[in-house]
Every structure is written in C-alpha cells, then in structure tokens.
Amino acid sequence: MKRTTTILLGGLPAALAILCSVPAPADESNPSKEELTTQQNTAEVGAGGVSRGSYKFGEYNGLEDHGPFAIASFHLGGGGAYDSSDAARWHLSVTDLGTPARSADGDYGVQGRFRLSFKYDEIQHNVWDSYNSPYLGLGGNVLTLPSSWQVPLVPANNAAAANARGLSGAVTAANVLVGGTLRAPSAAQLAQAAAIQAADLPSFSAFDLFTTRNRYEIGANFLLAPKWELSASAKHETKTGTQAQSTVTQATGEVAATLPNPIDYRTDQVNVSFARRSSQDFVQFDYNGSIFHNDIPFLRWTEWADLTKTMTMSEAPGNQMHQLTATAGRTLWETTRIVAFGSWSRMTQDESYQYDAAQVPLVPVSSPQALVVDEAANLKISSRPLKTLSLDLAFKYDERRNETPVNIYGFYDNNSARSGTIMAPFAAALGVPAAQLGSNVNINENLPFSRKVTQVDADGQWHFIPGESLKLAYEYQQLNRWCDGNWYSCEDVYATKENIGTLEWRGNFSRVNGRLSYSYGDRTAGDYSEQAFLAYVPMANVVPTGATLSAYQYMLLTGLTGYGPVAGLPTTPLTGNAAVFFPNNNALANAEYQNQNRISELIGMLRYYEAPRKRSQAKGDVDLEVTQQVNLQGLVEYRDDDYYDTSYGLFRARDLSATLDANYSPTGNLAFSAFYSYEMNRSSSAGNSYTANSTATNVGTFTAISGGCYPTIVLRNASNKVDPCENWSTDMRAHTNVIGLTVDWKNLMHERVDLTAQVVVTRASTDINVLGGSYSNNPYAVAGAPAGTVAAYYIPAQPLPTIIANSVDARLGLKYRLSRNQALHLTYEYAQLSDADFGYQGYQLGGASAILPTGQFAPYYHVQVFGLSYVATF
C-alpha cells in the first residue's frame, strides 16, 4: 500500500516540472464572435490511481479498488451556425466512462418544433466487503449449509442447545457457571467444541454485498402549434445485486442470521403530457404509469441451528401504478391568478403468495388482490390587491383508499413446529376442522389502512416600508385514518388536527439582507385507542373454551384494555371470565385471541406520528456584504417537538442547526471560502419492561433482593406489572460538526495555471443515556449456597458507549493550459474515515449466542487518489 502511494505522489513534482517547461498558450483575451456563439466541444482522457482499496470510500464513486483507473469524458454539440437559418441543435455528453458511475445523455431538436432526448446512467452501491457467511449459493435465492456443518454449541454450558458463541474458541475455553459453581470445561467438552469449530469455521467465506442500478430514458417533445405542446418519456430501470437481510426464526428457540438477499428488480415508467399555454392561462393533462417486477419470488435457506428445517421468505411483489392528472391556471385580473390541480391514481398488487404450506396452513386466497385508489385536488389563489400587499390562499385534499379485500390468515411463528389443537370454537368460526390447526397458530386479519388529508393554507405579506416586510401565515391540516372491512376499528386515532401559525420578518438593505421567523403548531388528536390491536385478531370476537364471553365482550363489559387491570396479584384467586382472560391480573392471555405474541399495548403508549404535539420552530438567516471582497452568510434553525400527552414512546425531540459561510476575494483571480456547520439532534423516549405478576416466592429457596423497588422476591413478583423500577427512559444526543475551506486561484504562471484546493473535516458523535434498570436472578442462588445469599439483583441501566465517526477529505486540482484549446488536468484527493460503533461487536465470533456471526466491522479507510488527464476543446 505504501509503495503505491509513493509512486503516485512521487510523480507529482516531475509532472509539474514538465508542465512548467511548456510554452505559454496564445492570447485568449479577445475571443472572436464565432467562438462566443458556437458551442464548445471537449474531450478528456487520462488515468488515475487509488492507493488503497476501500469499499466504503468507493461506496458510490466506483473507486473501491486499489490500482489504476481510466479517466474518460466528452461533451459534443452542434447544429446550425449562429448566423444561419438552421435552427437544429444537438449535444452528446458522456462522463466517467472509466468507472461504474458512468453516465450519458444527448438530445437533438429544432428550436420551435421538436426535441428528442435520451439519458443513461449507472451506479454501483458498495454495501459491505467484510461480510462472511458459511452458506452455499450466495447471490442466489436458495441457500444451504455445507454437509460438514455442525450446529454450534458451548458444550461446557449446554451440550444440546444451539449457541452461535460456540464458534469462538475463546468462549468455549472459558470457565462457565454451572449450578452456582464456576467450572473449567472438561477435556471432552473442549474436544467437542474444537471439532465443531474445525468443521464450521472453514465454511465461512467472504462475499461482497453490492447493488448495481442501470437507468435508460428516452423522451420527445413536440410543439404542435404556437400554444400546444406534446411530450412523452419512457424510463427503464434495472437493479441487481445483493443486500443484507436480517432474519429471525424459532427453529430451536429464537435465532437470527443476516443473509445476502438477492435483488433483481425491473421498473418501467411512462409519462405523457399534453399542454396548452398562453400569456393568460394554461391547461395540462398528464398520464404517469409505473410497473415494477421482481424476478426473484422468494428467499429460502437452511436453518443454521437446526439442519432439518428450512425457511422461506417472500420477496417484494410486483405492482403497478397508473395516474391521471389535470392542471390548469388562469390570470383572472392583472393582480390575481388561480391554479387548480386534480389527480386520480390506481395502484394494484396481485402477485401470488410465496409460502411454506406447513408454516402457513390457512390461506383463503392465492393472492392479496391489493388495490389502492388515490384522489387528490389542490386549489391556489394568489393576489396582490395593493402594491405593498400580497395574499395567497390554498386548499389541498388527498384521499388514499386501500380497497384490498380483508381475509383471515393462519401461520406459525418463524418455523415453529405445530403443537396441540386449536380451540373448537375458533375452528368453527374459521370454518375448518379443528385438527387442521395447532393451538400455537396465529390467526390474523390483514389491515387495509386508508388515510385522508385536508389542508388549508393562507398567508399575507405586507411591505410596510421600503426594504422590509412582514408575513403572517396560517395552516390547518386534518388527517383521518381508517380501515374498511375489518371486524374492529384498526386506527389508534381516527383524526388528528393541527393548527400552525407563522410570523416572518424580512429586511433587504444596502449591504445586509436578513430574515427572522417563528412558527407554532398545535396538533390535537381524538381519543387514543389501546384496543386497535383487536383488528388484527378476529378470534377476540369469538367466545373461547372455558369462557362465557369473547375477549372483546369482556373488555367492553369491564372497561379494560388488552393491558388488563393496572394492579398486582389479586388478593383472592380470580375465577370465571376474569381468570380466563386476565389471569393474575396480567395482560390479555394470548391463547384467548389465538396469537402467540402479546400485541396489546401499554396504557399511555402513543405513536409519535399521531400523538398530540406542540411544535415550536425558529429560524434566522443573514447575508452581509462587509466589503466588495468580503461576504458573510449565517443561518440558525431550531425546532422543539413536545408530545405532552405521551407516557410511553417518544415524548420530546429537539433539533438545532447552524451554518456560517465566509467568502473573501482579494482579486478577480483569487477567492477563499470557508464554512462551519453544526447540527444537534436530541430525542427522549420512555418505555416499560412489562413483566407478568407471578406467585413465585424464591430463587433457589432464597428471597432477598438487592436494590430495586421491593426487598423480596414475593413482594416484587406480586407487583411485577406495576413495579415502577421496570420503567425506563432514554436520552439520545447526536452532534455533527463540519468545517471546510476552499481556495480558487486562477491565471498563475503567466495565466497558464488554475489551482483549486478544498478540505472538509467532519466529526459526528452520538450519546445514548439510558435510565431505569432490570432485575437479574443471582446465578449463585442455588441449593446449598450460604444463608443470606441474595436471590436477585436490580441492575441500573448505564449509558451506551459513544458512537464516533470522523472524516477528512482534501482535494487538489490543477489545470495547465498548453494552448488555447488544450490543457492538462492534475487531481489529487486524500480521504480518511474512522468509525467507532459498539454495535459491530455483535457481528464478531462470540458476539451473540442467537445470531450467526458475519464478521462485519465498522468502516475505516485511508485513501489517496491521483489523476492526470488531457483535455481538448474544439
């Protein structure tokens, strides 16, 4: 690596020496009229080199590989001469031919008659080159494990349970706590672990994750008559490659793997527009169509923790969208104009379901027959009744109706084996034999969410004195959400309403322009429903075995939500429906609505996008011309969102950003610019580690708790559900600082050389403080332990390690004019990135017991790039 860098940099003085020996170009101070009116053609060819390969550095620019690359671009154009009657014009541009980020565009037309155009571009997105996997068939949609694969274990801890940490020799050789005693692994256990590692670790191989996008576009524009225009375009886009896909299954407990998900997308878009325009009015009709197709219907893989099982995941389904729009505008009076817009869209998705019948035993239809219809209308009136007063009024309406049929589906969680038999009343309600479904099946309805937005905007701007104005604006927005066809209302909040007021001052003076604005918004919401989860689970409306009411009927009768009573253990055992639905005063029992997962919500848990909110925003900017050579610009923005009704979830979010730009031009050939920007994002949220009430009284006969809210196991377990020590909160703060400097120096060395230099330094950090804690049983609290042994500890939460990302990017460009039409370009770039992120620890060997390691590490690079090219203008 160092040798290559030395070669690249070592050539720089020699190249400069050669350049300096070339005679000065001819005088360019008096270009001819023809030169000023004729399009210049340029061609650039050359070569460059990259000192060190880096996937992250080349994430989008195509320079991920160490070594040389080609520099090639050209821009051609022509047509009738400026003083001829020929109105034809054409151009062709091709850039970055030597990299995977190449593009091309061109057009041909006759002014006032027509124009034909085309575009092409491609880009490769490099995602990971540090990804490793033991699977065979990487890049395809069927992944299997080699025949030599053995389920990883930590034999000293458990000789039967799958454990991905068993792939780490350091873990399997470590002492383990068994029955309250710290023990070293036996020779047999070490040998078993070594055999597993010898079989599995050689199976891991590196695989690059990247996607390539190619886009082709053609267009045509025709002027049919002086006021009538027809235009059309068609676009074809392909995207291929692989991207990381996290998967979770329950083959042997809950285990996860990050797999290379193959991508093979095709998207076709068509746009047609027909318009009439005049000085007083216009009207335009448009059609937009989009068809998406995925050539990979599913991803199937062998489960690493249980080789007898496979998992199938459907991929993004094909879909279509067709939209018709009409837009019209007219000047009613000299000072008043009206513009109206309307659109109708139809979106469909009817790809066949991809699933394993053993895992999804109840599928009433072969495809979703999904249909979404969107209708929108906008109207805006602008007027200036007085020379010093301008008014705007706008109305917006957008209704998105999801008309997808509602069906009931049955599935088992993530490769779980069927067990037991579903309750007879549930089977009867579904119209299937009870023997067809296990008691661990999930019975869910799909939810076709719809929404409607109604918005009114009004503002007025008053120029009360020359150079200064005040603007007062008001916005009202109502958002409705609903589902059609479900047995219960699916929305948490049916309607939210927001009123926003804004006051803005602007001043334009001889050397300074400025603006100050403040806006305040108040979003209110209807009653939040913790019962919306019922829409997912239709069996909540069926009376289960052992009850006299359905879960929904019982909650309606008692006024309870799915969370159940806000109470600890009952003083006397519950009986009847109470014992069926809320045993021990806990949350609604999963079995009574036929779902394996608790999806009822905490009381006071509000989703931030529909929760009541007060928002304050302030903004100020200034543009100061200190002298003719010095200019300063500054901008500050602050936003504060207060979700004042929220007990759990996001309850506060604040953002601050500031930018300062300075420009200094001591001469017409020399310019300096510098900037500094700062951004802060802070959010606060809260949650609850729900734990069910329990009648357990000890841990290994011991009862005392160290810390927490209760001194003994029996008191804590009796109040698990209402234990305030189970609450937690987070305070996240992200800071980003960026500073940059640019120098642009032209006409050096007898007007032969132009020099540019730029450096940008970035430092970003994220701190996440967590308050609260959790209980953990004492592993030494086992039979035979000394009297007084603590049964459990309350462990307070600690701040997470700071995430830090630092980068430096420095660039130097030199243009040497050999003659009027020839030049050499010399470029140099130095780029460095370092990233410290604790999250990557989980990707390493021994990082997590239930996650297959991939070896991915935080991005880091230290790269230099050198380029030399010849540019001809003709």
Side-chain angles (χ1 to χ4, degrees), residues 565-574 582-586 691-697 710 713-723:
V566 184
L569 277 175
T571 55
T572 58
L574 299 176
F582 300 106
N584 289 335
N585 282 338
N586 289 317
T691 305
N693 298 321
S694 167
T695 57
T697 60
Y710 297 96
I713 294 294
V714 66
L715 290 175
R716 183 203 64 182
N717 288 352
S719 302
N720 268 334
K721 194 176 181 183
V722 293
D723 185 352

Side-chain angles (χ1 to χ4, degrees), residues 39 73-77 90-95 103-107 118 120:
Q39 180 171 317
S73 299
F74 61 84
H75 306 276
L76 307 177
W90 66 271
H91 99 276
L92 175 64
S93 296
V94 178
T95 58
S103 63
D105 67 271
D107 63 56
F118 82 92
Y120 169 79

Side-chain angles (χ1 to χ4, degrees), residues 133 305 327 517 561 615 684 703 712 744 757 833 835:
S133 174
T327 310
S517 68
T561 72
R615 167 175 287 181
S684 303
T703 62
T712 65
D744 191 351
L833 172 70
D835 192 343

Side-chain angles (χ1 to χ4, degrees), residues 84-289:
S84 73
S85 60
D86 187 358
R89 295 288 187 274
W90 66 271
H91 99 276
L92 175 64
S93 296
V94 178
T95 58
D96 294 328
L97 273 173
T99 73
R102 58 184 64 90
S103 63
D105 67 271
D107 63 56
Y108 174 80
V110 176
Q111 187 175 359
R113 293 177 58 188
F114 70 90
R115 180 174 178 266
L116 306 176
S117 64
F118 82 92
K119 292 181 180 180
Y120 169 79
D121 67 82
E122 67 177 82
I123 189 167
Q124 179 171 305
H125 178 202
N126 296 319
V127 184
W128 291 110
D129 65 344
S130 58
Y131 173 84
N132 285 265
S133 174
Y135 281 94
L136 304 175
L138 298 176
N141 69 322
V142 177
L143 306 178
T144 59
L145 288 164
S147 58
S148 59
W149 181 262
Q150 296 185 33
V151 175
L153 307 170
V154 180
N157 182 60
N158 190 314
N163 190 332
R165 300 188 73 208
L167 294 170
S168 167
V171 171
T172 56
N175 295 342
V176 296
L177 192 64
V178 180
T181 303
L182 197 62
R183 299 177 182 175
S186 66
Q189 290 168 337
L190 290 172
Q192 183 183 4
I196 293 173
Q197 293 158 15
D200 291 352
L201 292 179
S203 301
F204 282 81
S205 61
F207 184 78
D208 293 343
L209 301 179
F210 69 91
T211 59
T212 301
R213 190 209 70 204
N214 298 82
R215 181 184 296 159
Y216 310 81
E217 184 176 355
I218 57 173
N221 181 278
F222 300 94
L223 189 63
L224 304 178
K227 296 181 180 181
W228 295 91
E229 184 178 6
L230 175 66
S231 61
S233 65
K235 184 187 297 182
H236 177 72
E237 180 177 302
T238 63
K239 186 176 181 181
T240 57
T242 53
Q243 63 183 13
Q245 174 68 57
S246 296
T247 65
V248 179
T249 68
Q250 287 187 326
T252 54
E254 196 167 87
V255 298
T258 299
L259 303 175
N261 193 26
I263 292 175
D264 193 354
Y265 299 159
R266 288 182 285 118
T267 305
D268 293 290
Q269 294 177 283
V270 176
N271 303 280
V272 180
S273 178
F274 183 61
R276 179 191 183 278
R277 292 178 174 85
S278 70
S279 60
Q280 295 296 312
D281 54 37
F282 78 92
V283 62
Q284 180 171 321
F285 301 95
D286 294 274
Y287 164 76
N288 300 285

Side-chain angles (χ1 to χ4, degrees), residues 372-384:
V372 175
V373 176
D374 191 290
E375 297 172 343
N378 297 341
L379 180 67
K380 183 175 182 179
I381 301 175
S382 301
S383 180
R384 190 161 188 170

Side-chain angles (χ1 to χ4, degrees), residues 25-43:
D27 178 45
E28 300 181 18
S29 60
N30 296 305
S32 66
K33 182 188 296 184
E34 183 176 359
E35 289 177 315
L36 292 174
T37 55
T38 302
Q39 180 171 317
Q40 295 291 303
N41 299 319
T42 62

Side-chain angles (χ1 to χ4, degrees), residues 683-706:
S683 63
S684 303
S685 58
N688 176 273
S689 302
Y690 172 85
T691 305
N693 298 321
S694 167
T695 57
T697 60
N698 62 80
V699 176
T701 73
F702 298 100
T703 62
I705 296 178
S706 175

